[in-house]
């Protein structure tokens, strides 16, 4: 039977206002359009994402993003088989903007609404881009998340390890901030690091001395801050080379930790594929180290194109299609959830807060 499903995906959990149309058929999956309006310029003066500004920008721009995505795909609202929307985890104001728009569109057209977990969107992306089968190991390294997921089905995610404090992207951004580099800091820190000496500062490799795949980046950030202050106290300021060496030392520590924890995750879950997602996966040095770790374990390394690795609507549309195809409950009546772990059975993490694990 010749089957096809066309879904709209709406994403507004953090600082990207995104909408996309994805079509799945017997021939494979196709991203018909993907509109992402980043808010980096709005948040840059504050050195981080400001939830109220994000919520307002989503409310103002989401309908335009949806309109553009439908127009670029050449698909009318009535031509959709489903509307998938991120219900969490994320910033509640943005999530509510997306949910309200999606509910309104669904109510007006009768097109079914499917609520999607943002992390499921990231985790299922390698199936959209490369058509791989289950199982595989997913490493999510972004500005808000860091976890290893054993992906065994469209709704079967086992968390093997996770950060117990900061996400790596957050750490890159904080290092950039304390070295007066622009935001978002990741690419700037990488550029400086390429010109620095990674051995000059002996930064810690957090949690390598403990078994398992959990990660931590907060202590590393403090170590860089201390080293910076020591150099300033001794020399009265930072030279260009000091800054490069600090970046190089920091990045080398992150790379060592991620490579070793990936090795452990692949040993615990010997999957045929290691896939990465998240903005930090853009880092060439990190990518190379992960590739080596995968090769050593006999696994294929897969990094979807960056525009589908960072926050986007296509991954949400695709996660909706996956739920639909697997006849999973649409979770359409679900309210927005700022905290929504993919693996609800995983033990809560240190620093997860009083209301339970965030992601
Ligand atoms: P996301 O949360 O997936 O939207 O990704 C954004 C995060 O990725 C930000 O924290 C960026 O600083 C980080 N990032 C982007 N490019 C790089 C890079 N080349 N190296 C390290 N981090 C990066
Ligand atoms: Mg983002």
């Amino acid at each position: 039977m010749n089957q096809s499903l066309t879904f709209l995906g709406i994403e507004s959990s953090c600082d990207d206002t995104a909408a996309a149309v994805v079509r799945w058929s017997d021939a494979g999956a196709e991203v018909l359009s993907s509109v992402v309006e980043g808010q980096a310029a709005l948040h840059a003066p504050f050195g981080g994402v400001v939830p109220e500004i994000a919520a307002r920008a989503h409310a103002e721009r989401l309908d335009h993003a949806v309109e553009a995505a439908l127009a670029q795909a050449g698909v009318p609202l009535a031509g959709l088989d489903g509307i998938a929307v991120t219900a969490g985890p994320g910033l509640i104001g943005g999530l509510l903007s997306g949910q309200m728009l999606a509910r309104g569109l669904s109510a007006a057209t009768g097109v079914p609404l499917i609520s999607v977990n943002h992390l499921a969107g990231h985790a299922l992306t390698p199936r959209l881009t490369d058509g791989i089968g289950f199982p595989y190991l997913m490493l999510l390294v972004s500005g808000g998340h860091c976890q290893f997921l054993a992906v065994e089905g469209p709704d079967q995610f086992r968390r093997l390890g996770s950060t117990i404090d900061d996400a790596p992207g957050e750490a890159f951004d904080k290092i950039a901030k304390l070295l007066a580099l622009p935001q978002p800091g990741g690419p700037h820190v990488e550029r400086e690091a390429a010109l620095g000496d990674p051995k000059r500062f002996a930064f810690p490799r957090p949690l390598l001395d403990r078994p398992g795949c959990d990660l931590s980046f907060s202590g590393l950030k403090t170590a860089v801050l201390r080293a910076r202050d020591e150099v300033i106290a001794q020399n009265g300021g930072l030279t260009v080379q000091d800054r490069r060496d600090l970046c190089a030392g920091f990045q080398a520590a992150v790379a060592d930790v991620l490579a070793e924890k990936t090795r452990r995750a692949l040993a615990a879950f010997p999957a045929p594929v290691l896939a990465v997602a998240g903005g930090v996966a853009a880092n060439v040095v990190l990518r190379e180290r992960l590739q080596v770790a995968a090769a050593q374990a006999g696994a294929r390394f897969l990094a979807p194109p960056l525009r589908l690795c960072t926050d986007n609507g296509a991954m949400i549309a695709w996660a909706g299609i996956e739920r639909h195809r697997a006849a999973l409950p649409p979770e359409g009546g679900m309210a927005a959830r700022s905290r929504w772990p993919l693996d609800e059975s995983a033990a809560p993490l240190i620093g997860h807060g009083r209301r339970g694990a965030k992601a």
Side-chain angles (χ1 to χ4, degrees):
M1 194 176 62
N2 198 16
Q3 268 194 321
S4 129
L5 288 171
T6 307
F7 267 56
L8 171 68
I10 298 175
E11 156 64 34
S12 57
S13 66
C14 188
D15 61 346
D16 292 295
T17 305
V21 178
V22 175
R23 178 168 292 155
W24 169 83
S25 72
D26 295 342
E30 196 185 348
V31 178
L32 299 183
S33 66
S34 181
V35 175
V36 181
E37 269 192 44
Q39 302 175 355
L42 292 177
H43 301 290
F46 305 96
V49 177
V50 184
E52 286 76 12
I53 294 176
R56 189 175 293 259
H58 286 306
E60 281 171 3
R61 300 300 306 170
L62 261 177
D63 53 344
H64 297 278
V66 167
E67 241 179 353
L70 290 170
Q72 284 174 28
V75 174
L77 266 177
L80 294 171
D81 298 300
I83 298 172
V85 61
T86 305
L91 300 172
I92 200 74
L95 291 171
L96 286 170
S97 291
Q99 284 257 322
M100 284 190 293
L101 177 62
R103 277 171 198 236
L105 291 174
S106 170
T109 56
V111 176
L113 175 68
I114 295 187
S115 286
V116 166
N117 182 308
H118 176 86
L119 300 169
H122 278 305
L124 294 169
T125 297
R127 288 170 50 76
L128 165 66
T129 56
D130 292 79
I132 62 168
F134 299 112
Y136 54 93
L137 177 69
M138 183 79 205
L139 168 59
L140 186 57
V141 274
S142 73
H145 305 283
C146 185
Q147 48 189 297
F148 289 104
L149 292 166
V151 187
E152 295 172 299
D155 200 24
Q156 274 174 274
F157 307 98
R158 217 153 26 87
R159 199 182 67 207
L160 303 176
S162 172
T163 179
I164 59 169
D165 41 55
D166 292 356
E170 202 178 346
F172 268 93
D173 293 341
K174 284 178 183 165
I175 297 306
K177 196 173 174 187
L178 60 93
L179 295 177
L181 294 167
Q183 295 290 325
H188 300 280
V189 172
E190 180 176 14
R191 215 166 298 142
E192 296 293 312
L195 303 164
D197 172 9
K199 298 223 166 74
R200 176 169 157 203
F201 298 98
F203 292 134
R205 270 52 177 167
L207 297 193
L208 276 199
D209 53 340
R210 274 193 244 164
C213 305
D214 283 341
L215 305 113
S216 161
F217 297 99
S218 161
L220 178 56
K221 178 192 67 194
T222 310
V224 177
L225 174 66
R226 288 226 182 88
R228 180 202 72 167
D229 289 347
E230 258 170 46
V231 173
I232 293 175
Q234 275 168 19
N235 307 334
L238 285 182
T239 65
V240 170
Q241 198 56 45
D242 291 335
R243 191 194 275 174
R244 289 174 177 164
D245 294 345
L246 286 165
C247 287
F250 163 76
Q251 185 175 272
V254 174
D256 278 355
V257 169
L258 280 174
E260 173 56 25
K261 295 285 175 170
T262 299
R263 239 171 262 132
R264 290 185 197 177
L266 279 167
F269 184 69
V273 176
L274 165 70
V276 290
V280 181
N283 188 293
V284 174
V285 174
L286 293 181
R287 232 178 229 248
E288 281 170 4
R289 295 291 300 277
L290 296 175
Q291 206 155 1
V292 170
Q296 282 170 347
R300 175 180 164 205
F301 178 75
L302 209 159
L306 200 60
R307 67 195 166 80
L308 294 176
C309 244
T310 54
D311 291 350
N312 65 86
M315 70 178 190
I316 302 303
W318 176 250
I321 289 174
E322 291 256 29
R323 286 197 79 83
H324 185 93
R325 282 177 59 201
L328 290 163
E331 303 188 297
M334 184 194 269
R337 287 177 69 176
S338 58
R339 290 161 185 258
W340 186 5
L342 260 189
D343 180 355
E344 308 251 13
S345 69
L349 295 162
I350 305 164
H352 65 279
R354 263 183 302 161
R355 280 171 298 156
K358 193 170 162 193

